[in-house]
Coordinates of all heavy atoms in Angstrom, one line a residue:
D1 N 2.9 8.4 9.1 CA 4.3 8.1 8.8 C 4.9 7.1 9.7 O 5.6 6.2 9.2 CB 5.1 9.4 8.9 CG 4.8 10.4 7.7 OD1 4.2 10.0 6.7 OD2 5.1 11.6 7.9
D2 N 4.6 7.2 11.0 CA 5.2 6.2 11.9 C 4.6 4.8 11.7 O 5.4 3.8 11.7 CB 4.8 6.7 13.4 CG 5.3 5.7 14.4 OD1 6.5 5.5 14.5 OD2 4.4 5.1 15.1
L3 N 3.3 4.7 11.4 CA 2.7 3.4 11.2 C 3.2 2.8 9.9 O 3.4 1.6 9.9 CB 1.2 3.5 11.2 CG 0.5 3.9 12.5 CD1 -1.0 4.1 12.3 CD2 0.8 2.8 13.6
L4 N 3.4 3.6 8.9 CA 4.0 3.1 7.6 C 5.3 2.5 7.9 O 5.7 1.4 7.3 CB 4.0 4.2 6.6 CG 2.7 4.5 5.9 CD1 2.9 5.7 5.0 CD2 2.3 3.3 5.0
H5 N 6.1 3.2 8.7 CA 7.5 2.7 9.0 C 7.4 1.3 9.7 O 8.2 0.4 9.4 CB 8.2 3.7 9.8 CG 9.6 3.3 10.2 ND1 10.7 3.2 9.4 CD2 10.0 2.8 11.5 CE1 11.7 2.8 10.0 NE2 11.4 2.5 11.3
R6 N 6.5 1.2 10.7 CA 6.4 0.0 11.5 C 5.9 -1.2 10.6 O 6.4 -2.3 10.7 CB 5.5 0.2 12.7 CG 6.1 1.2 13.7 CD 5.1 1.6 14.8 NE 4.6 0.4 15.5 CZ 3.6 0.3 16.3 NH1 2.9 1.4 16.5 NH2 3.3 -0.8 17.0
V7 N 4.9 -0.9 9.8 CA 4.3 -1.9 9.0 C 5.3 -2.4 7.9 O 5.4 -3.6 7.6 CB 3.0 -1.5 8.3 CG1 2.5 -2.5 7.2 CG2 1.9 -1.2 9.3
N8 N 6.1 -1.5 7.4 CA 7.1 -1.8 6.4 C 8.1 -2.8 7.0 O 8.6 -3.7 6.4 CB 7.8 -0.6 5.9 CG 8.7 -0.8 4.7 OD1 8.2 -1.0 3.6 ND2 10.0 -0.8 4.9
A9 N 8.5 -2.5 8.3 CA 9.4 -3.3 9.0 C 8.9 -4.7 9.2 O 9.6 -5.7 9.1 CB 9.8 -2.7 10.3
I10 N 7.6 -4.8 9.6 CA 7.0 -6.1 9.8 C 6.9 -6.9 8.5 O 7.2 -8.1 8.4 CB 5.5 -5.9 10.4 CG1 5.6 -5.3 11.8 CG2 4.8 -7.2 10.4 CD1 4.3 -4.9 12.4
A11 N 6.6 -6.2 7.4 CA 6.5 -6.9 6.1 C 7.9 -7.4 5.7 O 8.0 -8.6 5.2 CB 6.0 -5.9 5.0
N12 N 8.9 -6.7 5.9 CA 10.3 -7.1 5.6 C 10.6 -8.3 6.4 O 11.3 -9.3 5.9 CB 11.3 -6.0 5.7 CG 11.1 -5.0 4.6 OD1 10.8 -5.3 3.5 ND2 11.4 -3.7 4.9
A13 N 10.3 -8.3 7.7 CA 10.6 -9.4 8.6 C 9.8 -10.7 8.2 O 10.3 -11.8 8.5 CB 10.2 -9.0 10.0
C14 N 8.7 -10.5 7.5 CA 8.0 -11.7 7.0 C 8.4 -12.1 5.6 O 7.7 -13.0 5.0 CB 6.5 -11.4 7.0 SG 5.8 -11.1 8.7
G15 N 9.4 -11.5 5.1 CA 10.0 -12.0 3.8 C 9.4 -11.2 2.6 O 9.5 -11.8 1.5
A16 N 8.9 -10.0 2.8 CA 8.4 -9.3 1.6 C 9.5 -9.0 0.6 O 10.6 -8.7 1.0 CB 7.8 -7.9 2.1
V17 N 9.2 -9.2 -0.7 CA 10.2 -9.0 -1.7 C 10.0 -7.7 -2.4 O 10.9 -7.3 -3.2 CB 10.1 -10.2 -2.8 CG1 10.5 -11.5 -2.1 CG2 8.7 -10.2 -3.4
S18 N 8.9 -7.0 -2.1 CA 8.7 -5.6 -2.6 C 7.8 -4.9 -1.7 O 6.9 -5.4 -1.1 CB 8.1 -5.6 -4.0 OG 6.8 -6.1 -4.0
C19 N 8.1 -3.6 -1.5 CA 7.2 -2.7 -0.7 C 7.2 -1.3 -1.4 O 8.2 -0.8 -1.7 CB 7.8 -2.5 0.7 SG 7.5 -3.9 1.8
R20 N 6.0 -0.8 -1.5 CA 5.8 0.5 -2.2 C 4.7 1.3 -1.6 O 3.6 0.8 -1.3 CB 5.5 0.2 -3.7 CG 5.2 1.4 -4.5 CD 4.9 1.0 -6.0 NE 4.3 2.0 -6.8 CZ 3.7 1.8 -7.9 NH1 3.6 0.6 -8.4 NH2 3.1 2.8 -8.6
V21 N 5.0 2.5 -1.2 CA 4.1 3.4 -0.5 C 3.5 4.4 -1.5 O 4.3 5.0 -2.3 CB 4.8 4.1 0.6 CG1 3.8 5.1 1.3 CG2 5.3 3.1 1.6
S22 N 2.2 4.6 -1.5 CA 1.6 5.6 -2.3 C 2.2 7.0 -2.0 O 2.3 7.4 -0.9 CB 0.1 5.6 -2.2 OG -0.3 6.0 -0.9
E23 N 2.5 7.8 -3.1 CA 3.1 9.1 -2.9 C 2.1 10.2 -3.3 O 2.4 11.4 -3.2 CB 4.3 9.2 -3.8 CG 5.4 8.3 -3.4 CD 6.0 8.5 -2.0 OE1 5.8 9.6 -1.5 OE2 6.5 7.5 -1.4
S24 N 0.9 9.8 -3.7 CA -0.2 10.8 -4.0 C -1.5 10.2 -3.8 O -1.7 8.9 -3.7 CB 0.0 11.3 -5.5 OG -0.3 10.2 -6.4
E25 N -2.5 11.0 -3.8 CA -3.9 10.5 -3.6 C -4.3 9.7 -4.9 O -5.0 8.6 -4.8 CB -4.9 11.7 -3.4 CG -6.4 11.2 -3.3 CD -6.6 10.4 -2.1 OE1 -5.7 10.2 -1.3 OE2 -7.8 10.0 -1.9
E26 N -3.8 10.1 -6.0 CA -4.1 9.4 -7.3 C -3.6 8.0 -7.2 O -4.2 7.0 -7.6 CB -3.6 10.1 -8.5 CG -4.3 11.4 -8.8 CD -4.0 12.5 -7.8 OE1 -2.9 12.4 -7.1 OE2 -4.8 13.5 -7.7
E27 N -2.3 7.9 -6.7 CA -1.7 6.6 -6.6 C -2.4 5.7 -5.6 O -2.6 4.5 -5.8 CB -0.2 6.7 -6.3 CG 0.6 5.4 -6.4 CD 2.1 5.6 -6.2 OE1 2.5 6.6 -5.5 OE2 2.8 4.8 -6.8
R28 N -2.8 6.2 -4.5 CA -3.5 5.5 -3.5 C -4.8 4.9 -4.0 O -5.1 3.7 -3.9 CB -3.8 6.3 -2.2 CG -4.5 5.6 -1.1 CD -5.0 6.5 0.0 NE -6.1 7.3 -0.4 CZ -7.4 7.0 -0.3 NH1 -7.7 5.7 0.2 NH2 -8.4 7.8 -0.7
L29 N -5.5 5.7 -4.7 CA -6.8 5.3 -5.3 C -6.5 4.2 -6.4 O -7.3 3.3 -6.6 CB -7.5 6.5 -5.9 CG -8.1 7.5 -4.9 CD1 -8.7 8.7 -5.7 CD2 -9.1 6.8 -4.0
R30 N -5.4 4.3 -7.1 CA -5.1 3.3 -8.1 C -4.8 2.0 -7.5 O -5.1 0.9 -8.0 CB -3.9 3.8 -8.9 CG -3.6 3.0 -10.2 CD -2.8 3.7 -11.2 NE -1.5 4.1 -10.7 CZ -1.1 5.3 -10.5 NH1 -1.9 6.3 -10.7 NH2 0.1 5.5 -10.0
F31 N -4.1 2.0 -6.3 CA -3.8 0.8 -5.6 C -5.1 0.1 -5.3 O -5.3 -1.1 -5.4 CB -3.1 1.0 -4.3 CG -1.6 1.4 -4.4 CD1 -0.9 1.8 -3.3 CD2 -1.0 1.4 -5.7 CE1 0.5 2.1 -3.5 CE2 0.3 1.8 -5.8 CZ 1.1 2.1 -4.7
W32 N -6.1 0.9 -4.8 CA -7.4 0.3 -4.4 C -8.2 -0.1 -5.6 O -9.1 -1.0 -5.6 CB -8.2 1.3 -3.5 CG -7.7 1.3 -2.1 CD1 -7.2 2.3 -1.4 CD2 -7.7 0.2 -1.2 NE1 -6.8 2.0 -0.2 CE2 -7.1 0.6 0.0 CE3 -8.1 -1.1 -1.3 CZ2 -7.0 -0.2 1.1 CZ3 -8.0 -2.0 -0.2 CH2 -7.4 -1.5 1.0
A33 N -8.0 0.6 -6.7 CA -8.9 0.3 -7.9 C -8.7 -1.1 -8.4 O -9.6 -1.8 -8.8 CB -8.5 1.3 -9.1
G34 N -7.4 -1.6 -8.3 CA -7.2 -3.0 -8.7 C -7.9 -4.0 -7.8 O -8.5 -5.0 -8.2
R35 N -7.8 -3.7 -6.5 CA -8.5 -4.6 -5.5 C -10.0 -4.6 -5.7 O -10.7 -5.6 -5.7 CB -8.1 -4.2 -4.1 CG -9.0 -4.8 -3.0 CD -9.0 -6.3 -3.0 NE -10.0 -6.8 -2.0 CZ -11.3 -7.1 -2.3 NH1 -11.7 -6.9 -3.5 NH2 -12.1 -7.6 -1.4
K36 N -10.6 -3.4 -5.9 CA -12.0 -3.3 -6.0 C -12.6 -3.8 -7.3 O -13.8 -4.1 -7.4 CB -12.5 -1.9 -5.8 CG -12.3 -1.4 -4.3 CD -13.1 -0.2 -3.9 CE -13.1 0.0 -2.4 NZ -14.0 1.0 -2.0
A37 N -11.7 -3.9 -8.3 CA -12.1 -4.5 -9.6 C -11.7 -5.9 -9.7 O -11.9 -6.5 -10.8 CB -11.5 -3.7 -10.7
A38 N -11.3 -6.6 -8.6 CA -10.8 -7.9 -8.7 C -11.9 -8.9 -9.2 O -11.6 -9.8 -10.0 CB -10.3 -8.4 -7.4
F39 N -13.1 -8.7 -8.7 CA -14.2 -9.7 -9.1 C -14.5 -9.6 -10.6 O -14.4 -10.7 -11.3 CB -15.5 -9.4 -8.3 CG -15.4 -9.9 -6.9 CD1 -14.2 -10.3 -6.3 CD2 -16.5 -9.8 -6.0 CE1 -14.1 -10.7 -5.0 CE2 -16.4 -10.1 -4.7 CZ -15.2 -10.6 -4.2
P40 N -14.8 -8.4 -11.2 CA -14.9 -8.4 -12.6 C -13.7 -8.8 -13.4 O -13.8 -9.4 -14.5 CB -15.4 -7.0 -12.9 CG -14.9 -6.2 -11.7 CD -15.0 -7.1 -10.6

């Protein structure tokens, strides 16, 4: 929780236009599914 807060602050300082945190294990895996399927 603490690290997410700090990283979110850094992202906003760098000009992030959107930030979204996974609220479940299914959502976390879905975030990674897109990255891992990027090549195909």
Side-chain angles (χ1 to χ4, degrees):
D1 289 343
D2 177 63
L3 292 177
L4 280 171
H5 176 76
R6 293 173 60 192
V7 172
N8 191 76
I10 293 171
N12 287 327
C14 293
V17 295
S18 68
C19 285
R20 178 179 163 197
V21 177
S22 63
E23 298 297 335
S24 66
E25 179 65 3
E26 292 74 20
E27 188 173 29
R28 182 187 74 86
L29 293 175
R30 192 161 59 248
F31 287 176
W32 282 118
R35 165 59 185 92
K36 292 201 170 189
F39 288 5

